[in-house]
Amino acid sequence: MTGRVTIDADLNFVQGLIHHGGADLKKCYQCSTCTVACPLTPDEAPFPRKEMLWAQWGMKDKLVRDMDLWLCHNCNDCTDLCPRGAKPGEVMSALRNKTIEHYSYPAGISKSAKTMSGNVVLFLVPMFLIALVIVIQNIDNNFAFLTAKPIVYANMLPVNLVDLLFIPPALFALFNAYKAISSFIRGLKEQYPPTEKGESLLTAINGTIKDVLSHIEFKKCGTNKGRNFSHKLMMYGFIGLFITTNSVFVLHWLHEFGFDVQTTPLPFFHPVKILGNVSSVAAFAGIYLILRDRIKNSNETVLTLFDWMFIGNMFLIIVTGILCQVFRVGDHAYLAFITYYIHLVQVFYLIAYASQTKFGHIFYRPAAMIYSRYSGRNKNIFSNL
Ligand code: SF4
Ligand code: SF4
């Protein structure tokens, strides 16, 4: 017996997808080679052929609740073998960006992050705010920090003020991420109701943490084998920098409360300084390798402004962070303080808009991976797919 199926097509969604990374989507003729080639897809309801079909038909509701978009690790084995050049790996990536935009809270920020003029506005916020605080802090002493020796960044912007500038956007980002990921998980639950074959939530979280730290999924990639190493370098580099920044924060406040601890500028062989420097080098090497591979495979990969803003932002954070130290040690005051200002602006952008930009994948992917285990995704057939 056959039933009637009504498809709620969203043509604006298809157009948006085509303009933001999925330009070759319509070339797909559903041969399924990509699904056979994918090293990460489960046997039941596999990807990415079905996503190509849903995307061609404009089935936005299914796609924004599609856990499989996030189980794909962009290895591009599928793109490599697609006989029509439809670039399914890139379409999956564009669909992830659309998902971030769909759940973005507040919605406008993600839309802005996709356009040049929008990004100018997003950058103007920290540029103006940080400059204003620097001026207010230093106007009475005639910007004495510029000529004071040795160069100390806290003379321009005391750590208390840095905390005051960065804690509110961090809280803003966490709140927005909570709102976005809650809606995302509600969507996953509707599309993939939990089954009795799923793991407990604790086991699912535990397993996902191990998967992320070991990059086990990246290791299965064929075409983009090197991505396992480069992404791991970048991820561990940024984890190291995150720990470094928070250690500096803790040291500062311990010192403020009378504890006898070293504060910034830390000596070269201080453990926190060593961690920071090693992490910077790792993150820089990771980003460099990712960029090199992307450019080398530029006929197969598609980088949108949304992608470039993320990569460029990460790259500038690392480079300005390293240069801050170089210029400080080399006693180039103007260069040092300008570089530090650019560094702060870039860090503000990364933190404040974390869940609405491409950086948001650090929330979405683990959430989907946890839910995949929790729902028993790779052990079950979802009849509604
Ligand atoms: S994306 Fe390419 S490989 Fe996949 S189904 Fe379409 S035409 Fe076939
Ligand atoms: S990019 Fe890799 S993981 Fe993603 S669908 Fe294609 S083959 Fe699978």
Side-chain angles (χ1 to χ4, degrees):
M1 194 174 122
T2 54
R4 178 177 297 191
V5 178
T6 308
I7 294 171
D8 193 7
D10 184 335
L11 298 182
N12 286 336
F13 180 80
V14 182
Q15 284 310 315
L17 194 61
I18 288 171
H19 283 109
H20 292 282
D24 296 302
L25 162 70
K26 299 266 177 160
K27 291 181 184 167
C28 170
Y29 63 172
Q30 290 293 309
C31 69
S32 258
T33 306
C34 51
T35 287
V36 176
C38 178
L40 300 183
T41 187
D43 293 339
E44 310 295 350
F47 60 85
R49 187 201 61 85
K50 72 177 186 305
E51 281 74 14
M52 295 299 284
L53 183 68
W54 291 350
Q56 285 180 324
W57 287 359
M59 296 169 75
K60 178 186 171 189
D61 288 348
K62 270 200 173 300
L63 287 163
V64 295
R65 294 183 296 172
D66 183 16
M67 170 176 13
D68 293 352
L69 293 179
W70 302 92
L71 304 184
C72 157
H73 281 57
N74 208 16
C75 68
N76 268 343
D77 287 13
C78 54
T79 294
D80 205 28
L81 292 174
C82 172
R84 295 277 293 163
K87 299 189 177 138
E90 298 307 309
V91 173
M92 293 292 271
S93 176
L95 285 168
R96 286 191 287 275
N97 293 348
K98 291 297 277 180
T99 304
I100 292 175
E101 183 186 331
H102 175 78
Y103 291 106
S104 167
Y105 183 89
I109 295 181
S110 202
K111 282 197 170 55
S112 301
K114 289 195 158 173
T115 65
M116 194 51 89
S117 55
N119 274 298
V120 170
V121 174
L122 293 180
F123 268 112
L124 278 175
V125 175
M127 283 168 74
F128 176 74
L129 205 61
I130 296 169
L132 183 70
V133 174
I134 292 171
V135 170
I136 292 173
Q137 172 69 16
N138 294 285
I139 196 155
D140 288 342
N141 62 25
N142 213 14
F143 298 90
F145 68 85
L146 284 169
T147 47
K149 299 289 174 196
I151 295 171
V152 176
Y153 292 117
N155 288 344
M156 177 177 91
L157 204 56
V159 179
N160 299 8
L161 284 181
V162 174
D163 292 346
L164 203 65
L165 274 168
F166 282 83
I167 290 174
L171 295 176
F172 172 76
L174 282 178
F175 176 72
N176 295 339
Y178 166 75
K179 294 278 288 180
I181 296 300
S182 309
S183 307
F184 175 56
I185 291 174
R186 272 198 297 277
L188 294 184
K189 274 188 172 165
E190 280 168 30
Q191 189 139 302
Y192 309 85
T195 67
E196 71 285 353
K197 294 184 180 175
E199 299 171 359
S200 74
L201 186 58
L202 209 59
T203 312
I205 292 173
N206 212 2
T208 300
I209 291 173
K210 282 186 191 152
D211 289 350
V212 171
L213 293 180
S214 66
H215 270 47
I216 191 161
E217 304 296 348
F218 283 100
K219 285 179 192 160
K220 295 175 190 164
C221 292
T223 305
N224 253 339
K225 251 193 203 85
R227 204 151 171 275
N228 169 36
F229 181 63
S230 52
H231 194 273
K232 208 188 268 178
L233 265 182
M234 184 174 73
M235 188 190 81
Y236 278 104
F238 269 88
I239 290 175
L241 289 172
F242 179 76
I243 296 171
T244 305
T245 308
N246 285 292
S247 303
V248 169
F249 174 85
V250 170
L251 286 176
H252 168 76
W253 285 104
L254 284 175
H255 188 263
E256 289 283 298
F257 284 112
F259 289 89
D260 183 21
V261 291
Q262 176 86 45
T263 54
T264 53
L266 298 171
F268 198 73
F269 289 107
H270 190 284
V272 173
K273 189 78 172 175
I274 293 173
L275 176 66
N277 283 335
V278 171
S279 304
S280 295
V281 172
F284 179 82
I287 295 174
Y288 167 76
L289 291 173
I290 289 173
L291 267 176
R292 189 201 59 181
D293 291 345
R294 282 280 189 166
I295 291 166
K296 204 165 70 185
N297 302 322
S298 56
N299 52 341
E300 283 190 354
T301 58
V302 181
L303 281 175
T304 62
L305 182 68
F306 199 63
D307 301 314
W308 273 118
M309 290 309 297
F310 170 60
I311 298 173
N313 180 230
M314 304 278 267
F315 187 74
L316 277 176
I317 286 175
I318 299 301
V319 171
T320 53
I322 294 171
L323 285 179
C324 276
Q325 198 173 167
V326 171
F327 292 143
R328 183 174 64 78
V329 173
D331 202 22
H332 302 291
Y334 281 90
L335 283 175
F337 286 112
I338 289 170
T339 308
Y340 183 52
Y341 171 72
I342 296 171
H343 181 72
L344 292 178
V345 169
Q346 294 293 334
V347 173
F348 190 106
Y349 181 97
L350 182 78
I351 294 175
Y353 314 129
S355 67
Q356 297 100 342
T357 58
K358 178 104 182 176
F359 191 46
H361 80 279
I362 67 160
F363 303 110
Y364 286 89
R365 194 184 294 283
M369 288 168 78
I370 291 168
Y371 192 75
S372 154
R373 286 169 166 270
Y374 177 75
S375 62
R377 162 73 181 101
N378 52 359
K379 300 173 193 155
N380 207 354
I381 298 173
F382 292 96
S383 55
N384 59 340
L385 298 179

